[in-house]
Amino acid sequence: MIEIINIFITLAIFLIFFSVPINIWSVQKYRKINSDSLFENYSLNFLIHVSVFLIISFLDINYFHYFVLIMIFSTFFNLYHIFQIQNLQRHINFKLIFLFILINLIIYFKLAGDATLSWDGLENWFFKAQNFYFNYNFFDLINIRGIDYYPHLGGFLWGFFWKNSLLNYEYFGRFIYVFLFILSIFSLGDVIKQNFLIKTVFVFLVIILCYDNFLFGGYQDILLFSFLIFVSKYFYQYIIYSKNKHLVQVFISLNLLPWIKNEGYIFVLIFSLSLLFILDKIKHKKVIISLIVLSLILMVLKHLIFYKYLKFNPTHGADLKLQFDLNIIFEFLRQFFLGLIVAIFKYKIWIGIIISFFAIYKSNLRLKNEKLFLKFLTINLILYVAAILFIYFDYIDEPRGIYWWIHTTLDRLIYSISGFFVIVLAMLINSRKFKF
């Protein structure tokens, strides 16, 4: 009974903690201007807090005191603004909020019923979370068990909310992964220009196709998936509305990725390179180039920090030597595409993504900007395929063998990348007219 009560309390903590600094209650005032919503503002607040988490993970401060300070401020801030609103029911879509809370609770209870940590979660990521649970910082990671050159931001999220849960059970810290997963999908639902029923069906469909209980066992791929949803959504909004604020949101989301997993380097580079292909067709070229350069500087900075304080190994066992034996190449391609097919059918959201791509290309998108965004997504997809082929080909001579690498890591990489392309399902829905 105590655990059940604390599950509800944990969700309440998330809803209060991430309701600032952007005022979630002012959402209706701006809806006609930029399609903001309650979940949009929650998403922006989440990005702001995670960015602050990254900074304080290097500092020697008391995480509990910081948590209490934010909770007190947020509580009074929300009470003040709620009392300022007349007829609250007209300003907030309580049906969507109820669904959001319900889906969160369902997955929380499922995770609490089977809180087993997955292999990588137990062998590596748990110890990073434990480091921050005991109020240590980044510079103490060199002393913990596990692969020390793995990034730590996901571990900080886990450890921070584990430390500040009432029962101090570690899986309460992992609830934040569920919260982000659900929040990112609901936030993407704001792109849907259809009625409540269509939005609800879209949200449920994406959650069902993307939910994998195994990944909530401590893997960081859920975080990559969710942040990539933010990246694609905000860039879509930028392409449609041409507002610099959306660019800033894109690059905040994008540059958090290398601090979650080293695969984040790939995501930043591919996104930046894809931008260069369409740079002549979009506004604010100087701003975009400046943000690309800043992203590269931040990647180098992260590399230097890990190189100095931890045993940084970006190749993770690869030897960066290419093989040109035809037999080896054919065997690699056979195993790679077999593993790719298995991964696509394991994470069926890719079937929906592929179908959506073909359907949208056959239809006529009404807005020129939407066609440009679709081209941008296509360039990204081509570059991802090429990059993944190159990366796995480089593991041919690795002691564990290419079979091991493909069948133990490719599916999770494909899953993470799917977050960037889920938006094509929303675009397909928007290109159709539904009557009820």
Side-chain angles (χ1 to χ4, degrees), residues 9-36:
I9 292 175
T10 299
L11 177 56
I13 287 173
F14 293 158
L15 292 172
I16 295 171
F17 191 94
F18 293 107
S19 62
V20 292
I22 296 174
N23 181 14
I24 62 172
W25 304 106
S26 65
V27 60
Q28 292 294 324
K29 180 179 178 181
Y30 304 102
R31 179 176 293 277
K32 293 182 179 179
I33 298 175
N34 54 25
S35 303
D36 283 344

Side-chain angles (χ1 to χ4, degrees), residues 328-389:
I328 293 177
I329 292 174
F330 287 138
E331 176 60 19
F332 161 76
L333 292 174
R334 185 187 70 82
Q335 293 201 33
F336 177 84
F337 284 106
L338 178 62
L340 185 62
I341 292 171
V342 171
I344 288 173
F345 279 94
K346 179 178 180 180
Y347 295 116
K348 298 177 179 60
I349 188 65
W350 272 105
I351 299 175
I353 290 170
I354 294 169
I355 292 173
S356 297
F357 260 112
F358 281 108
I360 292 176
Y361 267 111
K362 287 186 176 182
S363 65
N364 291 319
L365 291 173
R366 290 172 292 176
L367 299 177
K368 180 180 178 181
N369 290 345
E370 286 189 328
K371 294 179 181 178
L372 178 61
F373 182 74
L374 185 63
K375 178 182 177 181
F376 176 73
L377 288 179
T378 305
I379 294 170
N380 272 270
L381 185 60
I382 293 170
L383 291 178
Y384 271 118
V385 173
I388 294 172
L389 272 168

Side-chain angles (χ1 to χ4, degrees), residues 42-316:
Y42 261 117
S43 301
L44 293 176
N45 285 337
F46 197 97
L47 290 178
I48 292 170
H49 280 288
V50 173
S51 299
V52 174
F53 285 159
L54 178 59
I55 295 171
I56 67 175
S57 70
F58 291 91
L59 305 178
D60 186 16
I61 69 172
N62 189 299
Y63 303 143
F64 175 71
H65 292 167
Y66 176 79
F67 170 79
V68 171
L69 179 65
I70 297 296
M71 289 296 293
I72 292 174
F73 172 75
S74 181
T75 300
F76 283 103
F77 182 88
N78 282 286
L79 287 175
Y80 171 79
H81 284 285
I82 288 173
F83 287 130
Q84 299 298 312
I85 299 176
Q86 296 179 353
N87 197 351
L88 183 64
Q89 189 172 1
R90 290 181 58 188
H91 287 260
I92 302 298
N93 189 335
F94 284 101
K95 290 186 290 186
L96 274 177
I97 294 175
F98 173 77
L99 284 175
F100 179 77
I101 292 173
L102 179 64
I103 295 172
N104 267 278
L105 289 174
I106 289 172
I107 301 180
Y108 291 176
F109 278 107
K110 182 174 179 58
L111 182 58
D114 181 13
T116 305
L117 286 167
S118 306
W119 185 90
D120 213 22
L122 181 61
E123 290 296 318
N124 293 297
W125 301 111
F126 169 80
F127 297 103
K128 295 188 184 298
Q130 189 180 56
N131 178 77
F132 297 108
Y133 170 79
F134 287 117
N135 216 97
Y136 296 123
N137 61 29
F138 169 84
F139 302 102
D140 298 298
L141 291 172
I142 191 68
N143 301 314
I144 69 170
R145 179 180 163 185
I147 300 176
D148 50 12
Y149 57 81
Y150 278 7
H152 68 288
L153 185 54
F156 184 93
L157 278 170
W158 179 355
F160 182 85
F161 287 104
W162 170 13
K163 179 179 182 64
N164 294 301
S165 61
L166 296 182
L167 292 183
N168 283 333
Y169 292 170
E170 69 78 19
Y171 67 83
F172 278 94
R174 280 186 279 149
F175 284 171
I176 192 62
Y177 292 7
V178 179
F179 183 82
L180 174 60
F181 172 72
I182 302 299
L183 176 61
S184 65
I185 295 173
F186 269 80
S187 176
L188 184 61
D190 292 336
V191 173
I192 303 290
K193 299 183 179 70
Q194 303 284 351
N195 59 35
F196 173 77
L197 179 60
I198 298 298
K199 282 190 176 185
T200 303
V201 171
F202 170 80
V203 167
F204 271 103
L205 178 65
V206 174
I207 290 174
I208 290 171
L209 292 177
C210 297
Y211 176 79
D212 185 352
N213 191 63
F214 174 77
L215 296 180
F216 286 106
Y219 282 100
Q220 306 298 290
D221 307 274
I222 290 289
L223 303 182
L224 295 179
F225 169 87
S226 301
F227 278 105
L228 283 171
I229 284 181
F230 291 148
V231 171
S232 62
K233 175 197 170 182
Y234 294 139
F235 192 68
Y236 173 81
Q237 290 177 326
Y238 170 73
I239 291 293
I240 299 300
Y241 303 112
S242 297
K243 294 187 177 182
N244 280 334
K245 74 166 192 174
H246 293 132
L247 271 182
V248 174
Q249 293 162 5
V250 166
F251 279 88
I252 290 176
S253 307
L254 189 67
N255 284 289
L256 289 172
L257 297 175
W259 296 95
I260 296 172
K261 286 192 75 176
N262 287 327
E263 286 87 336
Y265 287 113
I266 303 171
F267 303 148
V268 174
L269 290 173
I270 288 179
F271 184 89
S272 300
L273 184 58
S274 299
L275 272 178
L276 297 179
F277 281 97
I278 64 167
L279 191 61
D280 61 325
K281 295 182 177 61
I282 54 181
K283 298 179 180 180
H284 310 118
K285 294 178 179 59
K286 292 182 179 179
V287 175
I288 290 175
I289 293 174
S290 298
L291 289 172
I292 290 175
V293 172
L294 179 60
S295 298
L296 296 176
I297 292 172
L298 291 174
M299 285 200 303
V300 172
L301 178 62
K302 188 248 179 181
H303 179 93
L304 292 176
I305 291 173
F306 272 71
Y307 184 80
K308 181 175 181 179
Y309 295 103
L310 302 174
K311 299 174 183 178
F312 185 74
N313 176 20
T315 64
H316 199 48

